[in-house]
Amino acid sequence: MNIIFLGPPGAGKGTQAVRVCEALKIPQISTGDILRAAIREGTETGLKAKSYMDAGQLVPDEILVDIVRDRLAQSDCANGYILDGFPRTVPQAEALEGIARIDVVLELQVEDEKIVSRLSGRRVCPACGGTYHVSLLGGRTSCEKCGGELIQRKDDAPETVQNRLKVYHEQTQPLVDYYQGKGKLKAVDGDLGLDKVYAQIMEILGAHA
Ligand code: ADP
Ligand code: ADP
Ligand code: ZN
């Protein structure tokens, strides 16, 4: 099954994608993770992407489409995948039509007010990509999975979060109508506990399997 996770920054896309991918044994394709890896490695793509990401802006469509085209051509994508964070614009969605056949788009719905506290409390493990929230860490500063030191993403600073929400509403939210029009959109209430959100997703995917 080829799945898209759509939703504002902080909606829980990454958190849920990790679990669902483990359960379905398909890869999680997070364009944010791919871009951050490119920045760490100092590649040409990373150099181009960094200033946009730090400012909470979207990286140009051509760069993302190239990344996703290359990634989906790899053999581990043959039995399905979750696209987490792509597409984020209508031109990206249109380009994807020429690359992949998408089965279902899950929209994780969370209100803006909740997003701010989710993102300001987000802590990530640069070593393994693990994602946590301070409210659940109980003072821990290292990763439960690999022991790496947790950090706060630069673009999770409050000023940048406001900008990312604006960018989401202007450039990404139109994809809700886009995929609704294609009969592929399924809404998920993302404002529940982790297990309840997961259960909704698996129920929808079960119906599609
Ligand atoms: P996204 O990938 O959509 O940007 P994340 O999965 O990184 O979102 O989650 C953003 C933050 O919110 C993280 O700190 C994560 O631990 C927390 N979070 C994710 N899902 C939930 C949930 N259902 N309830 C409360 N907090 C959540
Ligand atoms: P979040 O889910 O918290 O918004 P991501 O890790 O998905 O964060 O993305 C981080 C940043 O990477 C975005 O703010 C944007 O600059 C860039 N990015 C990721 N995916 C895309 C995309 N599909 N199109 C344009 N920019 C992207
Ligand atoms: Zn880790």
Side-chain angles (χ1 to χ4, degrees):
M1 215 177 341
N2 302 335
I3 305 162
I4 291 172
F5 276 16
L6 186 64
K13 301 182 299 296
T15 302
Q16 297 295 337
V18 167
R19 282 181 74 170
V20 175
C21 283
E22 216 170 84
L24 301 183
K25 303 201 173 15
I26 55 176
Q28 172 200 10
I29 301 173
S30 159
T31 46
D33 285 350
I34 292 171
L35 290 168
R36 279 183 290 275
I39 291 174
R40 275 199 305 278
E41 288 157 18
T43 67
E44 200 183 320
T45 300
L47 289 175
K48 281 189 204 149
K50 188 174 186 321
S51 57
Y52 295 100
M53 291 174 74
D54 284 348
Q57 300 290 352
L58 295 183
V59 175
D61 290 335
E62 313 81 71
I63 295 179
L64 269 297
V65 172
D66 284 347
I67 288 175
V68 170
R69 186 185 294 110
D70 288 352
R71 183 63 188 88
L72 294 184
Q74 290 175 26
S75 58
D76 64 332
C77 293
N79 295 321
Y81 45 80
I82 292 180
L83 281 170
D84 161 15
F86 182 94
R88 261 177 154 97
T89 65
V90 171
Q92 287 180 18
E94 287 168 350
L96 184 61
E97 307 270 350
I99 302 171
R101 184 189 43 77
I102 297 302
D103 297 298
V104 59
V105 179
L106 295 177
E107 186 209 354
L108 270 72
Q109 299 177 329
V110 178
E111 284 168 16
D112 285 11
E113 297 77 69
K114 285 279 170 66
I115 295 298
V116 177
S117 62
R118 282 201 186 179
L119 291 184
S120 59
R122 174 158 67 183
R123 296 295 180 271
V124 297
C125 173
C128 78
T131 298
Y132 303 87
H133 195 275
V134 276
S135 64
L136 299 173
L137 278 168
R140 256 183 90 95
T141 58
S142 60
C143 177
E144 218 164 58
K145 291 167 206 154
C146 79
E149 201 57 23
L150 301 179
I151 60 151
Q152 180 164 30
R153 268 169 52 178
K154 197 173 173 187
D155 60 345
D156 281 345
E159 320 80 73
T160 316
V161 166
Q162 289 304 336
N163 195 37
R164 286 162 67 203
L165 276 172
K166 188 164 166 274
V167 166
Y168 177 76
H169 291 303
E170 288 173 1
Q171 302 193 56
T172 307
Q173 210 164 10
L175 293 177
V176 171
D177 284 345
Y178 180 92
Y179 285 115
Q180 187 109 58
K182 295 186 181 292
K184 294 195 170 159
L185 193 82
K186 299 283 174 197
V188 173
D189 183 355
D191 198 6
L192 302 171
L194 294 174
D195 292 344
K196 289 212 164 116
V197 177
Y198 178 71
Q200 286 178 76
I201 292 172
M202 293 308 278
E203 197 182 325
I204 292 168
L205 295 181
H208 269 259

